[in-house]
Amino acid sequence: MSVELITLGTAAGPAIRGPENGISSALVVGDVFYMVDFGLGCSRAAHEAGLRGKDFVAGFVTHLHSDHVVELPGFLLWNWGNPVEGFTGPVSVVGPGKDATRSGGAGLSGTSELVSHSLEAFSYDIDIRVHDEARPPLASLVHTVDLTTPPVGTPEAGRPFYVYEDDRVKVTGILVEHPPVRPALAFRFDTDAGSVVFSGDTAECDAMAVLARGADVLVHEAVNLDFYAGKGFAPEFLNHQRIAHTTPEGAGRVAAAAGVGRLVLSHLAGRAEPQWWRSRAASTFDGLVDVAVSGQRFRMGSPALAPA
């Protein structure tokens, strides 16, 4: 079965500082596809990559920062129903639940409420299209799952846990460090043709090496701290970048510790030339390093992973 990774968008956000789409990836397995995060521009990027909603199976949200979910409602609305070659049967959206560690977190939305509130907000449009265009009721098709995650600070928090499985993929997850966001997740997809791991947003942490051990591809975020320091950002913002994100050298260390076959840098925070990102990651990892751009494709399988 063929497997292809498509980096639909590679920019960190929510600021728009360059030409890349917001963070989003697709994993195409055979004739269907899965999404990881739904950053700005992902709906158009998926369409331009040849992906159609009728082949969409499930979406996975790493955490609830807006740059990772802002286009989730749009992706569902633009990929639903026969008139747009969209899904007409059940699809899943899987992600973090409420933040039990945050004051007032019980009153804030997790993934399932993010979806349900979005569909309610667009209820007029949805109702019109159900009755005028013979589309199936959208809410009845979207199955949302708020993942139950191990408590932070326990031994279980450093171990992979079950997320999702069908006859094409098995998805596991692990908690990563992206303070103050909790839970923040990384996902691993295992297929017959190989394995791909998505870091989501995270500081350099041992959990990533645990989840990615022996994977064919690690898609890992990276930050250029010098970019922000040079722009005169507030100390609080700079501190967030330091404690909640990973330098390219750090991403290389994670890749080396995990023994992955290839490191793909994505969710690039701050701006730099591709060689800047690549050389710094290569200083700590002697495997293949790619600095991803929007719409880049990687084919999985024997004899080796290669850009499409």
Side-chain angles (χ1 to χ4, degrees), residues 18-218:
E20 303 298 335
N21 296 324
I23 187 65
S24 181
S25 296
L27 195 67
V28 184
V29 184
D31 56 0
V32 303
F33 72 97
Y34 307 80
M35 295 280 288
V36 179
D37 287 331
F38 296 84
L40 187 65
C42 73
S43 301
R44 182 178 292 276
H47 186 85
E48 290 177 349
L51 304 179
R52 298 295 181 265
K54 62 185 177 60
D55 302 318
F56 173 62
V57 177
F60 299 84
V61 173
T62 61
H63 65 292
L64 295 173
H65 261 150
S66 59
D67 57 315
H68 291 251
V69 295
V70 68
E71 207 160 297
L72 175 54
F75 181 85
L76 295 174
L77 289 163
W78 258 246
N79 287 281
W80 151 63
N82 285 323
V84 294
E85 298 181 271
F87 58 86
T88 56
V91 298
S92 295
V93 177
V94 182
K98 294 176 180 288
D99 182 356
T101 71
R102 187 170 186 82
S103 177
L108 305 177
S109 295
T111 300
S112 62
E113 287 189 351
L114 171 68
V115 172
S116 64
H117 293 329
S118 296
L119 297 187
E120 182 169 345
F122 286 98
S123 59
Y124 180 80
D125 173 84
I126 293 168
D127 186 70
I128 290 289
R129 297 186 190 281
V130 167
H131 291 93
D132 273 17
E133 300 175 10
R135 302 196 196 195
L138 180 54
S140 69
L141 302 181
V142 181
H143 175 58
T144 56
V145 177
D146 284 354
L147 291 169
T148 300
T149 56
V152 174
T154 64
E156 291 77 15
R159 300 170 187 160
F161 53 85
Y162 170 85
V163 171
Y164 173 93
E165 188 170 7
D166 61 26
D167 59 354
R168 300 174 186 86
V169 301
K170 178 181 179 181
V171 184
T172 50
I174 203 165
L175 292 174
V176 294
E177 298 175 14
H178 188 48
V181 178
R182 296 186 179 90
L185 307 169
F187 295 119
R188 174 176 180 139
F189 290 71
D190 286 294
T191 76
D192 289 344
S195 51
V196 182
V197 177
F198 299 89
S199 74
D201 284 10
T202 181
E204 183 179 349
C205 63
D206 293 339
M208 276 310 309
V210 171
L211 186 67
R213 187 159 293 134
D216 295 281
V217 185
L218 170 60

Side-chain angles (χ1 to χ4, degrees), residues 8-12 15-22 40-41 45 48 270-272 292-295:
L8 299 171
T10 63
I16 300 173
R17 294 193 177 90
E20 303 298 335
N21 296 324
L40 187 65
E48 290 177 349
R271 302 195 68 184
V293 296
S294 301

Side-chain angles (χ1 to χ4, degrees), residues 263-287:
L263 173 62
V264 176
L265 296 178
S266 188
H267 191 277
L268 303 177
R271 302 195 68 184
E273 293 300 315
Q275 185 55 31
W276 185 93
W277 300 101
R278 184 179 294 107
S279 63
R280 279 157 176 76
S283 71
T284 55
F285 175 60
D286 60 8

